[in-house]
Amino acid sequence: MSAPIVSLRGVSKHYGDGPTRVDAVRDLDLDIHAGTVAGLLGPSGSGKSTVLNLIGAIVDPSKGQISLDGEMVFDGGWLRPDLRRLRLEKIGFIFQFHNLIPFLNVAENIQVVLDLAGWPRPKAQRRVAELLDYLQVADRAHAMPAQLSGGQAQRVAIARALANNPRIILADEPTAALDSERAGRVMDLLRQVAVEQGAAVIVVTHDDKVMARFDVRHALADGRLVGA
Amino acid sequence: MNLAIRDIRHHWGRFVLTCLGLSLLLGVVISMIGIYRGLVADALVLVRAPAVDLWVVEGGTKGPFAEASRIPRDTRNAVARIDGIASAGMVTYQSMQIETAKGVARVLVVGFEPGRPGGPAVLAAGRTLERSHFEMVADIKTGLELGQLIRLGNDDYRVVGLTRGQVDSGGNPLIYLSLQDAQALQFELEGAAARNQAARGERANTNQVNAVLATIHADADLDSVARSVSRWKHLSALTQADQEAMLLSAVVDKARKQIGMFTVTLLTVSTVIIALIVHTMTLDKAREIATLKLIGAPDRTILALIIQQALAMGVISFSLGATLITLAADRFPRRVIVEAPDIAMLAAAVGVVCVIASLAGVRHALSIDPAQALGG
């Protein structure tokens, strides 16, 4: 088997100290490989969102090592000072409520990522058109987010997450606001991305509708892995 | 891609309304400076109107505008004989109210000797006084028209000439009468009071005037002529420059400070208001800013979004305010002068104000945690 794209070794995260200390994640070892759709499951407070934040380089681990796409990025401290650049290059985010920028139209919501990554304008425009086609929202390219249905908005959010060809896709409850049919389509799409682009897709959810669609499920309780 | 412009375009209605409100506030700031410029111009009109070189006033005073001045009539002949003097004329100044078609108007009456310095140097219409009695030259601001008869005291006066923009430092228009008529108006008493004066054996003292104005020969040295006049201890000689400086310092200085403080206060209020607006706009965009940070936007992108919006608001509001005041300047009861250098200086100040005002928003934006973009 190839090297994992996401690798966590002995990662812990606690908030506060002394009597107010909360251990959100404890000694977590986790590997997720390319082409895999992995589910992070668990009840509220189990630590799954913290794991997502750790992989997304949003919060610092208290200890441990994190390697993303073959690059050691945390080993007692962030090894790269430019964490936003790290996210831009390696990670695509999909949110429960899409988080499309309301003042940008559909095409601009995707293009903003490419502008930040420094893509030349013609190349970026070709990439936007390609993604809109791929996610079947090309006819809504100039629509504003408020004019989209829930399913369309989620597909645009996925297009934005894929724009810069990230190897890691982090999805936070991406189907929670969708009915079973639309949730199924989103999961199909994420699987397609994982397979076609060789990405690792990590989905945080406790949505029963999509439990059967993961290649691997990691269950968390009290900040520890309790099953896979 | 310019995020600031995209956001403004998306919320254009709210942005335009905000700019309209702000433009009125900045318009008031511009008008304050315009009113001050008008005040200075009005104050100088009075001393520049006769176009003379030398003002001879009562010794030890700063007359006739900053302080009261009374000098004997024969001063004019004494001054006229000084080497270097081309011509000299007596003048009096007094405030009074006149009845016009538009109602009661407050005016400054200038009494002068026709054919001698003291009268209006430039006319907008008609002619200057040619007779010693019952003619007047009035400023257009009085509402009087050429040929109109107007009652002053016990006599009717005909308007034979009009000036434009000639007002005193209070913004009241000037009217010019002959010296004799002006003094008659000053000392003339109504029936009972006149009889009482006659019974006491008293007479009005028309032997004094407020100043003697003089022009000098082209080859004469002004300071030397002024020194010659000042050798008479009961007289002071002020050059035109002295008179202007004195009027500005004595009459306009307090108004300048007052308006200056008001302008600074308004700019401070503008800063606070812009800061509140920018901060509110930043709070409204907290989730979008968190999302931008999460997907990799550097701080400079976030800063540009906020500062560019604040500057756009300032530029648009200031332009609207400046246009509004420029168009409305003539409708103010007092002169408002909007000058390009003042506009440029204030525009720069507004730019600085916008940047300072956006600091609170910037501080908040930089503190937004990208994790806020996650979850509900």
Side-chain angles (χ1 to χ4, degrees):
Chain A
M1 184 178 274
S2 62
I5 289 185
V6 175
S7 176
L8 277 64
R9 288 285 168 273
V11 169
S12 295
K13 175 65 183 177
H14 65 82
Y15 297 100
D17 275 309
T20 60
R21 175 175 168 134
V22 175
D23 288 296
V25 174
R26 305 168 201 237
D27 289 324
L28 185 69
D29 292 330
L30 182 67
D31 289 331
I32 297 170
H33 293 268
T36 303
V37 179
L40 276 181
L41 316 173
S44 293
S46 60
K48 57 188 189 301
S49 289
T50 304
V51 173
L52 199 74
N53 289 348
L54 290 166
I55 298 171
I58 298 167
V59 296
D60 302 352
S62 303
K63 67 168 190 171
Q65 294 177 324
I66 298 176
S67 169
L68 301 177
D69 194 19
E71 179 185 348
M72 183 65 75
V73 295
F74 187 90
D75 185 7
W78 292 108
L79 300 178
R80 285 179 54 162
D82 53 341
L83 294 180
R84 290 190 207 171
R85 191 78 203 172
L86 171 74
R87 291 199 289 268
L88 186 62
E89 289 170 357
K90 294 186 183 294
I91 305 169
F93 290 91
I94 301 168
F95 310 92
Q96 180 180 352
F97 295 104
H98 335 310
N99 284 33
L100 297 177
I101 309 294
F103 50 83
L104 302 180
N105 66 27
V106 164
E108 289 168 341
N109 259 288
I110 301 166
Q111 190 170 324
V112 70
V113 176
L114 302 172
D115 282 357
L116 291 171
W119 286 44
R121 182 54 59 93
K123 188 180 168 194
Q125 285 171 338
R126 281 198 300 276
R127 175 66 174 156
V128 169
E130 179 188 310
L131 284 165
L132 291 173
D133 274 340
Y134 181 62
L135 290 151
Q136 299 171 6
V137 280
D139 58 330
R140 308 309 316 268
H142 299 292
M144 300 306 284
Q147 298 169 314
L148 302 176
S149 68
Q152 287 174 331
Q154 196 59 290
R155 274 182 280 159
V156 175
I158 293 170
R160 182 177 66 186
L162 301 180
N164 198 29
N165 296 314
R167 297 299 308 282
I168 302 159
I169 308 286
L170 299 180
D172 184 26
E173 303 279 8
T175 58
L178 303 177
D179 58 33
S180 296
E181 187 188 343
R182 288 194 177 87
R185 280 192 215 148
V186 166
M187 290 308 297
D188 289 344
L189 199 52
L190 291 176
R191 170 166 304 288
Q192 193 178 341
V193 168
V195 172
E196 292 180 2
Q197 304 199 6
V201 177
I202 302 163
V203 179
V204 164
T205 187
H206 48 289
D207 184 354
D208 294 335
K209 301 190 293 279
V210 297
M211 287 300 173
R213 292 175 174 267
F214 296 114
D215 298 321
V216 56
R217 287 183 285 276
H218 298 283
L220 285 156
D222 295 328
R224 296 179 197 278
L225 271 180
V226 293
Chain B
M1 184 187 307
N2 188 301
L3 296 176
I5 291 175
R6 298 294 197 289
D7 188 31
I8 289 169
R9 202 172 56 188
H10 185 62
H11 297 109
W12 69 269
R14 188 177 67 174
F15 187 80
V16 167
L17 277 178
T18 305
C19 286
L20 277 177
L22 203 54
S23 71
L24 294 176
L25 184 61
L26 293 174
V28 174
V29 177
I30 297 166
S31 68
M32 280 292 114
I33 295 175
I35 287 169
Y36 167 67
R37 294 286 177 214
L39 204 66
V40 171
D42 283 353
L44 294 179
V45 159
L46 188 57
V47 290
R48 286 176 180 170
V52 295
D53 301 309
L54 206 61
W55 295 67
V56 180
V57 299
E58 184 180 339
T61 73
K62 295 174 179 175
F65 307 114
E67 291 178 354
S69 161
R70 284 182 181 275
I71 54 176
R73 289 175 68 103
D74 58 11
T75 302
R76 185 246 287 161
N77 290 335
V79 169
R81 282 195 294 272
I82 291 174
D83 193 28
I85 295 287
S87 60
M90 298 177 281
V91 288
T92 60
Y93 298 94
Q94 68 190 94
S95 292
M96 65 180 296
Q97 291 193 154
I98 62 169
E99 293 276 351
T100 70
K102 292 180 181 174
V104 176
R106 189 159 183 80
V107 297
L108 182 72
V109 178
V110 182
F112 74 104
E113 298 175 279
R116 290 181 175 275
V122 180
L123 291 174
R127 59 170 175 80
T128 189
L129 308 187
E130 290 175 353
R131 294 166 53 190
S132 299
H133 292 289
F134 312 129
E135 287 187 342
M136 75 157 68
V137 171
D139 190 80
I140 285 170
K141 196 179 173 186
T142 57
L144 299 175
E145 294 174 356
L146 276 181
Q148 190 175 342
L149 274 177
I150 184 160
R151 189 85 177 167
L152 296 179
N154 298 326
D155 301 299
D156 290 328
Y157 291 77
R158 186 174 299 280
V159 179
V160 297
L162 293 173
T163 60
R164 187 185 303 279
Q166 295 207 356
V167 293
D168 67 10
S169 60
N172 303 312
L174 305 187
I175 65 172
Y176 292 89
L177 303 179
S178 70
L179 187 69
Q180 294 95 316
D181 285 347
Q183 289 193 311
L185 270 178
Q186 192 171 5
F187 297 111
E188 191 175 70
L189 297 176
E190 289 297 322
R195 285 193 294 278
N196 179 272
Q197 187 182 58
R200 289 164 177 269
E202 293 174 353
R203 293 183 59 193
N205 182 4
T206 58
N207 197 35
Q208 290 186 319
V209 293
N210 295 127
V212 167
L213 310 189
T215 57
I216 63 169
H217 291 296
D219 58 350
D221 177 58
L222 182 60
D223 290 333
S224 163
V225 175
R227 278 196 299 276
S228 298
V229 174
S230 296
R231 278 202 293 269
W232 287 308
K233 299 297 181 193
H234 66 293
L235 298 177
S236 289
L238 304 171
T239 64
Q240 179 69 16
D242 292 338
Q243 191 62 265
E244 287 184 14
M246 193 182 300
L247 201 65
L248 286 179
S249 65
V251 180
V252 179
D253 195 48
K254 275 187 183 165
R256 181 175 63 83
K257 286 177 183 164
Q258 180 94 344
I259 289 173
M261 287 189 71
F262 200 44
T263 304
V264 169
T265 305
L266 282 172
L267 273 176
T268 308
V269 170
S270 304
T271 308
V272 172
I273 288 175
I274 293 172
L276 284 173
I277 293 170
V278 172
H279 192 246
T280 304
M281 286 165 65
T282 308
L283 289 178
D284 287 348
K285 285 194 286 288
R287 194 174 179 86
E288 288 76 42
I289 290 170
T291 303
L292 284 167
K293 285 183 172 183
L294 194 67
I295 64 177
D299 282 343
R300 67 173 179 278
T301 303
I302 311 292
L303 295 184
L305 169 65
I306 293 164
I307 293 176
Q308 284 172 4
Q309 281 189 342
L311 284 173
M313 191 189 301
V315 168
I316 292 170
S317 303
F318 184 79
S319 304
L320 280 174
T323 306
L324 188 70
I325 295 305
T326 304
L327 293 176
D330 290 339
R331 295 182 183 277
F332 280 72
R334 287 202 56 163
R335 197 194 310 245
V336 175
I337 299 175
V338 182
E339 292 181 336
D342 290 337
I343 291 283
M345 185 199 67
L346 206 52
V350 168
V352 172
V353 159
C354 287
V355 173
I356 292 171
S358 62
L359 292 181
V362 164
R363 188 164 173 266
H364 179 75
L366 293 181
S367 70
I368 291 174
D369 184 352
Q372 284 182 33
L374 298 170

